[in-house]
Amino acid sequence: MKPNPRILLPFNFTDACVAALQYASQLAAHLGADIVLLHCAGDTQLTATYQSHLMSRLGSFTDRYMGPALKSLTRFCVVRSGFLRENLPSVVENHRVDLLVANPEALLEDIAPGQVLSLPEFASCPMLLVPPQALFQPLKEIVLSVDLTDLDAGVLERVQKLARTFSAHLTLLHLHGNVEAVQLCQLQKAATQLRAELTYRNTTIVCQEEEDLLEGFNDFSELYTPDLFVVATRDTHLLHEYFSGRYRKTSAYHLHTPLLNLYQAHKTACSGGCTHCNTRERQLEQETVSAAQG
């Protein structure tokens, strides 16, 4: 018999993690998934007695906040010494985790400003970051950020499968800068070709003029209230930007929307608006020019 999918939730007993727990447990119920709760004790000495105490505390918290209807979910409690980032890879592998659900601050808090880390080094599975304001409801509107000139078949198939599971409407959102008529025609042609190849028909392809990905998400959220944004990137830059202080101060619409990250190595910079990618792109161009001149 095929085992149930597994959702991993890092948990440090904060209100934000409680919100992520409530979201993850309801998502698990809809997907028929099991939940793995992970608590990392940090520098505190993890004696057998203290470990037993933390395991009991994890169990009592889930009983208290998941609600009676969700207590039937299969739960695994894991307590480790050390910190989250150093424990995630092995827990994901050992417990065969299919999806990591986390409060963004818990996942990204130890990353210094401007530091960019590889996401696959955190965990090999997809990541769903749930802001404290987000409330779970069965997904009705899923928005995937795409570059019509740089598509990944695996990412597209995974998102279509998710939309099919919830019978949700799927929007493929392509953001672009101010382009010439010829380029716009090429984008429209690519959209037409993609539409013919999609296996999930309840899908709309939207091309929107906006260079900055997060501004585009915010504008889209204001009009359509999506239940989930999906991006495909391989480092922490975009996730940090999504949940950055500049958006919290303005209470941006997208801050109420969970963000699912899949993995794709992009050929081009993220939506033309990613500072890290654009800087790296310029470095590669300079290296190419220097090599040619040398």
Side-chain angles (χ1 to χ4, degrees):
M1 185 173 63
K2 185 178 179 180
N4 291 341
R6 288 189 175 180
I7 293 175
L8 171 63
L9 178 72
F11 197 80
N12 60 9
F13 303 106
T14 63
D15 290 342
C17 281
V18 168
L21 168 66
Q22 293 173 331
Y23 191 100
S25 58
Q26 292 179 74
L27 177 63
H30 277 266
L31 297 178
D34 301 333
I35 288 186
V36 180
L37 291 164
L38 169 63
H39 178 75
C40 297
D43 290 328
T44 304
Q45 183 179 6
L46 191 60
T47 63
T49 301
Y50 188 48
Q51 184 176 24
S52 177
H53 164 73
L54 290 174
M55 295 280 279
S56 298
R57 194 177 177 203
L58 281 173
S60 64
F61 259 75
T62 53
D63 284 342
R64 185 186 314 168
Y65 291 107
M66 286 171 61
L70 302 176
K71 288 183 181 179
S72 60
L73 291 175
T74 301
R75 289 164 284 173
F76 302 90
C77 294
V78 180
V79 175
R80 293 279 187 92
S81 59
F83 296 91
L84 181 61
R85 278 170 47 194
E86 65 193 77
N87 282 300
L88 269 179
S90 61
V91 173
V92 168
E93 181 179 357
N94 294 341
H95 289 268
R96 302 184 303 281
V97 171
D98 299 284
L99 175 67
L100 169 65
V101 177
N103 166 256
E105 291 186 0
L107 189 69
L108 304 173
E109 63 180 351
D110 294 331
I111 303 176
Q115 185 181 14
V116 177
L117 301 177
S118 167
L119 285 171
E121 291 179 8
F122 274 66
S124 56
C125 63
M127 298 180 178
L128 176 61
L129 299 188
V130 181
Q133 302 93 327
L135 298 174
F136 178 82
Q137 60 180 359
L139 305 178
K140 297 178 181 178
E141 179 67 49
I142 299 172
V143 180
L144 169 64
S145 171
V146 298
D147 181 344
L148 292 173
T149 66
D150 185 13
L151 292 169
D152 183 289
V155 168
L156 278 174
E157 183 54 39
R158 188 185 288 266
V159 176
Q160 288 180 93
K161 181 179 179 181
L162 178 63
R164 193 177 288 111
T165 299
F166 285 91
S167 298
H169 177 257
L170 174 62
T171 297
L172 306 183
L173 179 62
H174 175 98
L175 301 175
H176 60 84
N178 186 6
V179 298
E180 301 290 337
V182 173
Q183 292 173 287
L184 187 58
C185 183
Q186 290 173 339
L187 287 176
Q188 292 169 343
K189 183 178 179 180
T192 300
Q193 181 178 348
L194 175 60
R195 190 175 290 109
E197 297 172 354
L198 294 172
T199 59
Y200 187 65
R201 295 304 173 188
N202 190 16
T203 303
T204 302
I205 302 175
V206 175
C207 293
Q208 181 174 309
E209 185 176 340
E210 173 57 69
E211 289 189 333
D212 187 276
L213 174 65
L214 299 182
E215 292 296 343
F217 275 4
N218 194 33
D219 293 343
F220 197 91
S221 296
E222 185 175 3
L223 294 174
Y224 298 102
T225 317
D227 301 302
L228 180 69
F229 278 120
V230 185
V231 296
T233 184
R234 296 182 68 85
D235 65 46
T236 56
H237 173 82
L238 188 56
L239 306 189
H240 248 143
E241 287 293 299
Y242 188 96
F243 296 105
S244 70
R246 64 184 174 124
Y247 289 105
R248 285 198 296 271
K249 292 174 184 176
T250 59
S251 190
Y253 286 92
H254 74 258
L255 285 182
H256 299 266
T257 308
L259 180 71
L260 173 63
N261 187 81
L262 306 176
Y263 297 138
Q264 177 182 349
H266 289 277
K267 300 173 186 175
T268 56
C270 300
S271 302
C274 171
T275 304
H276 172 68
C277 287
N278 288 333
T279 301
R280 179 61 183 150
E281 194 173 62
R282 287 193 293 270
Q283 289 174 346
L284 289 173
E285 289 175 354
Q286 291 172 0
E287 290 171 4
T288 302
V289 171
S290 298
Q293 292 174 346

